[in-house]
Amino acid sequence: MTNIPASKAVAEQVAATLRDRIVKGELAPFDRIVERRLSAELNVSRTPIREALKLLEADGLIEITLHRGAIVSEYRPEEAFLLFDVIALLESLAARRVCENITAETLQRLEDFHGEMLDHHRAGRTNDYFDINTIIHDYIVESSSHSVLIATHERLVIRARRGRFLAILNPDRLTQAVSEHEDLMQAFRDMDPDAAARVWETHLRHTGETVANVLSDQADS
């Protein structure tokens, strides 16, 4: 019995590693994930690898077929657009709720995250920028204290996160996104829920549009 939690934890760690690779494009659509090779690379048995792949299949990040095994799912422009259409509304509502009830402690956490994000942006550290950007988005959702919103967002955001990374690879969009983050912070400082909601919905919709365009260009090339 004592091995069950340990095995589950290993599977979740493997799943987290693979999610990160898929989100950041290290594993591209239609790439195969070979259990034997992954087991040797990560130095874990095949059992947690298989459990991790089931988790990724449930996330919609991979497909498991009888003949080819685990394959990274395609990410279509229309899927990205529809995902961000919903996520824009969810995160906009989260920003509004946070702003309506913001405390000095929450604002300071957001200021710290924002400052770190700007440092990574100025230094050109793309992966670090993406990671802290993700933390900011998730922190706003979690701080909304809206249980239905949080649960719904969690089900959708894993697939959408692949799009956020694609979007920041576009220099013009990255500059625009940083400006939108600053606008959100100003809304929080001013305790203006309407502005916070408006800025954040626009931010997410711009991201969705950029991702859909990037995916369309990739399909045409």
Side-chain angles (χ1 to χ4, degrees):
M1 294 293 291
T2 55
N3 290 331
I4 294 176
S7 177
K8 182 177 179 182
V10 173
E12 289 174 348
Q13 289 172 1
V14 172
T17 296
L18 291 173
R19 279 192 200 101
D20 192 63
R21 292 180 182 181
I22 292 170
V23 164
K24 294 179 178 175
E26 295 171 30
L27 286 169
F30 307 114
D31 280 355
R32 289 185 64 214
I33 300 174
V34 182
E35 289 183 20
R36 182 180 65 256
R37 189 182 305 156
L38 191 62
S39 175
E41 178 194 347
L42 301 180
N43 194 28
V44 298
S45 71
R46 299 279 285 276
T47 298
I49 296 289
R50 293 190 185 106
E51 291 303 311
L53 293 178
K54 290 178 183 176
L55 293 174
L56 293 179
E57 185 180 35
D59 292 340
L61 295 178
I62 69 169
E63 298 172 6
I64 300 177
T65 66
L66 182 61
H67 299 296
R68 296 194 62 197
I71 301 169
V72 178
S73 299
E74 185 179 5
Y75 196 27
R76 299 180 182 87
E78 57 270 22
E79 178 189 2
F81 186 83
L82 292 174
L83 278 170
F84 279 95
D85 195 33
V86 176
I87 288 172
L89 295 175
L90 291 173
E91 294 203 24
S92 172
L93 176 58
R96 177 183 294 279
R97 291 289 180 264
V98 169
C99 198
E100 286 173 343
N101 302 288
I102 199 160
T103 63
E105 180 182 2
T106 297
L107 181 59
Q108 188 57 56
R109 287 289 299 279
L110 287 164
E111 294 281 15
D112 291 343
F113 291 147
H114 184 64
E116 185 177 347
M117 187 194 75
L118 293 178
D119 288 342
H120 292 317
H121 172 58
R122 284 189 288 265
R125 294 187 290 264
T126 303
N127 283 352
D128 292 332
Y129 171 91
F130 177 78
D131 290 340
I132 191 64
N133 183 285
T134 298
I135 287 171
I136 291 169
H137 280 266
D138 289 349
Y139 181 73
I140 291 169
V141 170
E142 291 160 9
S143 298
S144 72
S145 301
H146 192 309
S147 59
V148 175
L149 187 159
I150 292 168
T152 305
H153 183 268
E154 185 178 9
R155 288 197 298 272
L156 297 176
V157 75
I158 292 173
R159 284 184 291 157
R161 199 157 279 157
R162 295 168 78 180
R164 279 206 184 118
F165 193 79
L166 284 173
I168 69 170
L169 298 179
N170 180 312
D172 291 338
R173 172 56 193 149
L174 179 56
T175 299
Q176 183 186 49
V178 171
S179 177
E180 289 163 354
H181 271 261
E182 178 56 39
D183 289 343
L184 178 69
M185 289 305 305
Q186 192 58 53
F188 285 149
R189 295 170 192 135
D190 294 340
M191 292 184 287
D192 186 341
D194 289 341
R198 183 176 62 255
V199 166
W200 218 222
E201 181 177 350
T202 299
H203 174 68
L204 271 299
R205 290 195 184 281
H206 282 163
T207 299
E209 291 164 4
T210 302
V211 175
N213 289 335
V214 170
L215 292 173
S216 293
D217 290 343
Q218 288 178 348
D220 292 341
S221 61

